[in-house]
Amino acid sequence: MEIENKEVKFGGFWSPKNCQARHKVAIIIPYRDRKDHLFTLLSYLHPILQRQQLDYKIYVSEQIGNGTFNKAIVMNAAFIYALEQDNYNCYCFHDVDLIPEDDRNMYSCGRHPKHMSIGVDEMNYVLQYEELIGGVLILKTEHVLASNGYSNLYWGWGAEDDDLYYRLKGLGYKIERPPLKIGRYTMMKHKKRKPQLWSKRAKLLYSSVNRMTWDGVSSAKYTLLNVTERRFYTHLLIDVGQPPEGFN
């Protein structure tokens, strides 16, 4: 990684020298316990973003401890921090286990939210369902603020992305996607975590639009324990607290 990314500044940012980038992008990677995946992703992602001539910075947002994971709070916290740090116009929420296969899949934002990872090798490169926007998603600042970001109520793995889909559709946004032959990703192998019971997630999904104004970025409860600028990324350490009873 060091040899191929000498121009990446400490903290994980880069901008083209010979032109003004059209897009300033914050890459947000929710993370816990996948160091090998993280460094593999970074070894692919930095060169791709540079070839696309983007002005970007990578934030790795890690939940501390071994308690129930809340991916939404971890992502909301990183968005809030990045928003305060620089004038980004694009935010890319990127799973740590997905490696892009095609440079033509542009990590820049458009008028509408853009779902990048429509074809994953483990899913036979087929979009599983229309509401799926998880994996790699790019939003403009106004998209995040209008939808209030991710719901903080999804403790454990699953459905926070579907919840955001309904919020964005409720606001009148379309979901942009690249052609299937371009929006292709390889999923790194890992042990699958058991999601929360569907009954719990379904009840939340039915009320996603109604909760949008008060459940999300504006209400995220967490403690930012530490910020460290590392060689290829900026690391945020987040304490999300304890889940409600029944979500352990």
Side-chain angles (χ1 to χ4, degrees), residues 154-159 194-205 246-248:
Y154 290 87
W155 292 87
W157 294 85
K194 184 178 179 181
Q196 287 289 339
L197 291 174
W198 171 247
S199 59
K200 293 181 179 179
R201 293 180 287 160
K203 289 179 181 179
L204 290 172
L205 284 174
F247 282 88
N248 295 317

Side-chain angles (χ1 to χ4, degrees), residues 165-218:
Y165 170 88
Y166 289 117
R167 294 179 179 214
L168 294 169
K169 292 293 285 186
L171 291 166
Y173 291 117
K174 298 177 181 178
I175 303 301
E176 296 179 355
R177 292 187 170 100
L180 185 56
K181 64 181 181 181
I182 292 175
R184 294 164 66 99
Y185 285 76
T186 298
M187 179 178 286
M188 289 179 271
K189 303 301 181 184
H190 60 87
K191 182 179 180 181
K192 296 292 190 293
R193 291 175 168 87
K194 184 178 179 181
Q196 287 289 339
L197 291 174
W198 171 247
S199 59
K200 293 181 179 179
R201 293 180 287 160
K203 289 179 181 179
L204 290 172
L205 284 174
Y206 291 142
S207 63
S208 59
V209 175
N210 293 333
R211 286 183 285 101
M212 182 166 53
T213 57
W214 56 267
D215 169 29
V217 167
S218 65

Side-chain angles (χ1 to χ4, degrees), residues 31-181:
Y31 172 79
R32 187 167 68 174
D33 297 335
R34 294 187 187 174
K35 187 175 182 179
D36 290 344
H37 287 177
L38 175 60
F39 280 92
T40 299
L41 173 61
L42 294 175
S43 69
Y44 281 90
L45 198 53
H46 274 297
I48 287 174
L49 297 173
Q50 291 165 28
R51 289 193 292 267
Q52 293 183 1
Q53 294 289 288
L54 296 170
D55 182 344
Y56 72 89
K57 184 170 184 176
I58 295 180
Y59 296 89
V60 175
S61 189
E62 179 178 7
Q63 179 176 322
I64 194 171
N66 297 315
T68 304
F69 195 62
N70 192 311
K71 182 181 177 184
I73 294 179
V74 168
M75 292 190 290
N76 284 340
F79 168 77
I80 292 168
Y81 180 81
L83 184 67
E84 295 171 347
Q85 296 303 305
D86 212 333
N87 188 31
Y88 300 106
N89 54 1
C90 304
Y91 292 83
C92 175
F93 299 91
H94 203 302
D95 282 1
V96 72
D97 58 358
L98 290 180
I99 299 174
E101 297 183 10
D102 197 317
D103 278 21
R104 295 172 295 174
N105 200 8
M106 297 297 296
Y107 279 76
S108 56
C109 49
R111 179 181 176 187
H112 293 276
K114 182 163 63 173
H115 181 221
M116 303 275 285
S117 54
I118 60 173
V120 177
D121 64 335
E122 192 172 282
M123 301 173 185
N124 298 314
Y125 296 109
V126 174
L127 182 66
Q128 298 297 296
Y129 54 95
E130 175 60 30
E131 295 85 358
L132 178 61
I133 58 172
V136 184
L137 177 68
I138 296 185
L139 302 174
K140 296 174 71 173
T141 308
E142 64 193 60
H143 299 154
V144 182
L145 296 178
S147 64
N148 205 8
Y150 291 90
S151 166
N152 302 306
L153 302 181
Y154 290 87
W155 292 87
W157 294 85
E160 64 280 325
D161 301 302
D162 293 348
D163 189 287
L164 180 58
Y165 170 88
Y166 289 117
R167 294 179 179 214
L168 294 169
K169 292 293 285 186
L171 291 166
Y173 291 117
K174 298 177 181 178
I175 303 301
E176 296 179 355
R177 292 187 170 100
L180 185 56
K181 64 181 181 181

Side-chain angles (χ1 to χ4, degrees), residues 1-14 27 29 38-47 49-50 56-60 228-235:
M1 243 179 101
E2 187 72 38
I3 296 174
E4 296 184 6
N5 290 281
K6 289 184 177 180
E7 294 186 0
V8 175
K9 304 296 190 298
F10 211 81
F13 68 94
W14 183 90
I27 309 289
I29 303 174
L38 175 60
F39 280 92
T40 299
L41 173 61
L42 294 175
S43 69
Y44 281 90
L45 198 53
H46 274 297
L49 297 173
Q50 291 165 28
Y56 72 89
K57 184 170 184 176
I58 295 180
Y59 296 89
V60 175
T228 306
E229 289 197 340
R230 298 184 176 172
R231 179 63 188 89
F232 293 108
Y233 61 94
T234 293
H235 178 254

